[in-house]
Amino acid sequence: SSSILPSPPCAGCGSKVGSTALSEALRRVQQDFPALPRDAVLVGLDSPDDAAVVTVPPGQVMVHTVDYFTALIDDPFIFAQICLKHCLSDLYAMGATPYTVLATVQVPYAAPAKQSEMLYQILAGTHKGLLASGTPLVGGHTVVGPQLALGFACNGVADPTQLLRKGGMRPGDALILTQPLGTGTLFAADMQGKAKGRWIEEAIAHILTPNQAAAEIFRAHGATACTDVTGFGLAGHLLEMLRASGVTATVYLDALPVLAGAAETLAAGIVSTLQPQNLQAAAFIDPAGTSHPLYPLLFDPQTAGGLLAAVPATTVQACLTDLQQHGNTAAALVGEITTTDRAYPLTLKRE
């Protein structure tokens, strides 16, 4: 007997989530999270128009960024908060204030009712994550595909004279990192069933911590440069700052804040699949520190990582105290900016 094989899922606009599933998810989330009044949004998510329309505050500039990645945990509600924190961090690192957000969602192939439920969980997590900054979600796009994935186009506003850039660091500045490292190796271990549940639980607690307060504290303490530490790892993002500033730096390996379990998974040789590409940055690092057990952590890709900033040495202790008292409990002094008369842009120091 012959059997009829199901048609393969369509691509193009045939891959969109159906209107019934989408409308039901939106109805539920708008019921649970009433829209905050925002005079700047002329046309938003509650309108049937083709695009959002917002006004631009006079005297300010727009700051735009986008990120997108596949799910690293099974809970779509928590995953949405992680992804949103990751995407908003670029705005905070630039000294901008979030203004509007657009979402791009891919839900797995499933019956419409299941797609609608997953969309609701994603949108609910997104709205929860946006409450702290009062930023409206003004639109987005939804498709179906082989796995859950999510991204946000985040739009911010800023005073053009108060932007934080990667360049601007000066010899003598201190380097502060606000969040522990190790999400790459920990979640790689989790995928292999080799991570303890409490390690992942603690990691999620850290990566859900917004970077909003840290950015404000850095500006208040005269930060000369800032970036968020994400996919290229601490070394990759710091090297970008060093090139932009025309300086070198020393990193204190023993002072690096580390997520619980990350040292153990690194010692077991468990690293992210992006780690080998990130290791190319080693060509710009003094090889004297390569034997240190935390050396691989420099190249560990971070999801929803913290901020790395340079602040004047005279303000470092006050800045650290402020950070630790406002949610960044693991914030640490991790290095210093040095002059350019060195063989390598980045030198490593151990106790």
Side-chain angles (χ1 to χ4, degrees), residues 45-125:
L45 198 59
D46 56 349
S47 302
D49 293 279
D50 293 316
V53 181
V54 298
T55 59
V56 180
Q60 295 196 296
V61 293
M62 299 295 292
V63 184
H64 304 286
T65 184
V66 63
D67 258 306
Y68 179 88
F69 49 79
T70 53
L72 73 169
I73 59 172
D74 294 331
D75 186 330
F77 179 72
I78 300 297
F79 172 55
Q81 294 173 64
I82 292 172
C83 185
L84 179 68
K85 183 266 181 88
H86 183 100
C87 296
L88 287 175
S89 291
D90 281 331
L91 296 182
Y92 292 130
M94 292 288 293
T97 299
Y99 201 58
T100 61
V101 167
L102 296 159
T104 299
V105 190
Q106 176 177 283
V107 296
Y109 300 120
K114 289 189 175 181
Q115 290 177 356
S116 182
E117 175 62 27
M118 182 163 287
L119 266 178
Y120 167 72
Q121 295 293 337
I122 286 285
L123 291 170

Side-chain angles (χ1 to χ4, degrees), residues 57-231:
Q60 295 196 296
V61 293
M62 299 295 292
V63 184
H64 304 286
T65 184
V66 63
D67 258 306
Y68 179 88
F69 49 79
T70 53
L72 73 169
I73 59 172
D74 294 331
D75 186 330
F77 179 72
I78 300 297
F79 172 55
Q81 294 173 64
I82 292 172
C83 185
L84 179 68
K85 183 266 181 88
H86 183 100
C87 296
L88 287 175
S89 291
D90 281 331
L91 296 182
Y92 292 130
M94 292 288 293
T97 299
Y99 201 58
T100 61
V101 167
L102 296 159
T104 299
V105 190
Q106 176 177 283
V107 296
Y109 300 120
K114 289 189 175 181
Q115 290 177 356
S116 182
E117 175 62 27
M118 182 163 287
L119 266 178
Y120 167 72
Q121 295 293 337
I122 286 285
L123 291 170
T126 299
H127 278 78
K128 183 178 187 299
L130 289 170
L131 285 175
S133 61
T135 308
L137 178 71
V138 295
H141 188 70
T142 53
V143 298
V144 293
Q147 64 188 121
L148 175 61
L150 178 63
F152 295 98
C154 301
N155 311 297
V157 292
D159 180 335
T161 67
Q162 300 296 315
L163 289 171
L164 284 171
R165 305 284 297 274
K166 291 181 181 179
M169 298 190 295
R170 301 168 301 203
D173 284 350
L175 285 171
I176 293 178
L177 179 63
T178 64
Q179 190 172 298
L181 302 169
T183 59
T185 178
L186 280 175
F187 283 98
D190 187 47
M191 292 176 69
Q192 299 174 32
K194 297 178 180 178
K196 295 181 179 180
R198 58 183 174 85
W199 293 349
I200 300 302
E201 189 174 305
E202 180 182 318
I204 289 173
H206 277 288
I207 62 181
L208 283 177
T209 303
N211 282 323
Q212 181 176 1
E216 293 170 358
I217 289 167
F218 280 138
R219 278 191 288 183
H221 289 276
T224 56
C226 186
T227 193
D228 59 328
V229 179
T230 51

Side-chain angles (χ1 to χ4, degrees), residues 311-349:
V311 300
T314 54
T315 69
V316 66
Q317 288 306 322
C319 185
L320 278 172
T321 299
D322 263 1
L323 288 167
Q324 292 162 358
Q325 290 178 347
H326 291 86
N328 296 103
T329 55
L333 171 64
V334 298
E336 62 183 306
I337 303 304
T338 50
T339 56
T340 56
D341 56 348
R342 295 194 171 196
Y344 293 90
L346 187 54
T347 302
L348 306 177
K349 183 179 179 180

